[in-house]
Amino acid sequence: MTSPSDAARRTVLITGASLAGPTLAYWLHRYGFAVTVVEKAHAPRGGGYPIDVRGTAVEVVRRMGILPALQVAHIDTGRFTFLDADGGEVAALHPSAVAGSVAGRDLEVGRGDLTAALYETVRDDVEFVFDDSVDTLDQHESGVDVTFRSGGQRTFDVVVGADGMHSGTRKVLFGPEEQFHRYLGYGFAVFTMPNFLGLTRELLMWNTPGRAAALYATGDADDDLHAFLNFHQPEQPLGVVREGLREPDAQRDLVARTYAGAGWEVTRIVEAMHQADDLFFDTAGQIRMLSWSSGRVAFVGDAAYAPSFLTGQGSSLALVGAYMLARSLATHGDHVDAFAAYERDTREFVTMNQALVDKGGARLFPTTAEALEQRNARLRDLVAMPASTPQPAHSALVLPAPAPAA
């Protein structure tokens, strides 16, 4: 095991200040590392769609001391109602029954609430550099020379990419994303809109084959809704998600064409999308890397193993992965051994959770009439069940004790 005095001389650059980055920074600081976090945004990002903290990840936030704050921020959604093409009710359930979550233990919070809690925990202990990113990485025997987009140059012992599914750090080191990207056959758009139905702490989802529209009320009737449009795209829409990924007009046009003629309130939702100033568009996909490191550079969270929103496990994998990586670096003096231990101890947990997309994660969004009817039958069966069955993959990794603090 490395000693605190040894660890104190080790410097780590973390790229990305969303979930995995601040979590990793917290634990590395506790273990005596000198940590710098660089983030391309101007500040920690607030807002965003609600996200889940489940299973093993709940223990990570408990050990960080932020569980009570997240419990206060927990979104206590009471009902998940599925609708048919005309808006008629198919089934209404508690959300935990659908997700395989454990009511009273697992958490759902606003992404901004989790980001803020993580940032506040570590902001005064490590160096944060906003509005910047990595431009080049030059590895050598004694460290990694980093050139930043701003023109600055520094050397670190280790660099960790925690900058999301479309990681710029990963691109600098390995090249185009396509070699790691597994397309899952869906495009989606997320935005907020006025609560025209007066919904309170509930979720409605309309489906026809290959199309879904959801309205999520995380607050009261006067609060905005989170709107979600998810649609089947057999071939990845490269013109929209590559060169035009950040071109809102192309995104809006694709969604509008896809939902033309849809029933219920979908036309109104699409109209709201055209007015939204917070539209986020992407395709459903996973990142699958044969190795999560190369030399002195490693990756964590979505940058290494994004599971896709279809699993609901992106935030939990980020939290657990960051904890495991920090612990490995603290207990191994050599980065090669540390990265090997991180991958050895975490890979199975990641694989199980990424596999959820093949074991039912996408079944909420059937692409054929037959599959839709089968899903609806399963939902009606769930209504009759007395309690939800926890998803084993969520807690498949038993979190080891932290390494000794420096």
Side-chain angles (χ1 to χ4, degrees):
M1 179 178 295
T2 200
S3 69
S5 59
D6 290 335
R9 293 194 294 268
R10 300 167 74 188
T11 57
V12 179
L13 173 68
I14 301 170
T15 66
S18 181
L19 303 182
T23 304
L24 179 62
Y26 170 88
W27 289 105
L28 288 179
H29 168 72
R30 171 177 167 145
Y31 298 143
F33 290 74
V35 181
T36 298
V37 181
V38 62
E39 165 59 49
K40 66 181 180 181
H42 299 294
R45 300 182 184 186
Y49 206 73
I51 56 177
D52 298 289
V53 179
R54 300 170 175 155
T56 305
V58 176
E59 178 62 13
V60 174
V61 297
R62 187 192 69 78
R63 294 182 185 182
M64 295 178 71
I66 61 174
L67 179 57
L70 296 181
Q71 289 172 329
V72 171
H74 173 63
I75 301 167
D76 191 14
T77 306
R79 184 171 61 181
F80 190 164
T81 303
F82 293 84
L83 307 175
D84 62 21
D86 299 319
E89 182 176 310
V90 173
L93 308 95
H94 192 277
S96 62
V98 180
S101 300
V102 178
R105 184 196 69 183
D106 294 343
L107 301 167
E108 184 174 32
V109 298
R111 184 180 187 87
D113 291 329
L114 179 55
T115 300
L118 293 169
Y119 178 64
E120 289 298 322
T121 302
V122 75
R123 62 178 297 177
D124 296 328
D125 298 322
V126 307
E127 177 189 15
F128 279 87
V129 179
F130 291 100
D131 197 25
D132 209 349
S133 59
V134 170
D135 190 44
T136 66
L137 297 169
D138 182 17
Q139 301 192 60
H140 47 81
E141 286 188 5
S142 57
V144 185
D145 295 334
V146 180
T147 302
F148 295 94
R149 186 190 62 197
S150 61
Q153 295 181 326
R154 293 172 64 177
T155 299
F156 299 88
D157 293 314
V158 168
V159 174
V160 179
D163 48 343
M165 181 172 183
H166 305 300
S167 169
T169 310
R170 191 185 60 230
K171 184 177 181 180
V172 168
L173 187 65
F174 289 116
E177 178 181 309
E178 285 77 3
Q179 59 189 308
F180 307 112
H181 187 272
R182 179 195 178 199
Y183 178 57
L184 297 176
Y186 296 90
F188 67 92
V190 182
F191 51 95
T192 55
M193 64 177 292
N195 191 349
F196 67 99
L197 294 177
L199 303 177
T200 300
R201 293 180 178 81
E202 61 181 301
L203 174 60
L204 302 179
M205 189 162 76
W206 167 95
N207 287 89
T208 60
R211 298 186 297 181
L215 294 175
Y216 193 2
T218 59
D220 298 324
D222 294 333
D223 297 321
D224 281 350
L225 296 170
H226 293 277
F228 176 72
L229 297 168
N230 184 64
F231 53 95
H232 181 50
Q233 285 282 118
E235 299 295 328
Q236 190 169 5
L238 296 180
V240 175
V241 300
R242 289 293 179 259
E243 296 84 354
L245 179 61
R246 301 306 173 199
E247 176 47 59
D249 288 341
Q251 300 163 5
R252 289 183 169 97
D253 288 345
L254 174 61
V255 175
R257 290 195 304 271
T258 301
Y259 285 88
W264 185 51
E265 300 283 358
V266 176
T267 298
R268 190 164 181 175
I269 298 172
V270 172
E271 290 173 351
M273 176 197 67
H274 285 289
Q275 305 300 320
D277 60 6
D278 59 352
L279 173 66
F280 176 78
F281 179 94
D282 207 343
T283 58
Q286 296 182 331
I287 295 298
R288 297 195 171 190
M289 302 181 71
L290 293 178
S291 175
W292 299 338
S293 65
S294 177
R296 292 178 174 270
V297 183
F299 295 87
V300 67
D302 280 356
Y305 34 78
S308 99
F309 76 89
L310 294 170
T311 68
Q313 281 295 91
S315 54
S316 294
L317 289 188
L319 293 166
V320 173
Y323 177 93
M324 296 297 289
L325 174 55
R327 186 180 186 277
S328 293
L329 283 166
T331 54
H332 296 274
D334 181 75
H335 63 275
V336 175
D337 294 337
F339 293 160
Y342 158 56
E343 187 156 347
R344 181 189 67 240
D345 296 340
T346 317
R347 172 73 76 167
E348 183 178 0
F349 179 66
V350 166
T351 300
M352 290 182 66
N353 281 278
Q354 285 193 323
L356 293 176
V357 76
D358 301 315
K359 298 178 180 179
R363 292 181 187 175
L364 290 180
F365 308 102
T367 60
T368 67
E370 180 182 9
L372 179 57
E373 182 50 45
Q374 291 172 347
R375 185 213 67 174
N376 289 346
R378 288 194 296 271
L379 292 173
R380 296 185 187 103
D381 289 342
L382 276 176
V383 174
M385 294 177 65
S388 63
T389 301
Q391 172 53 250
H394 295 173
S395 301
L397 188 152
V398 177
L399 207 64

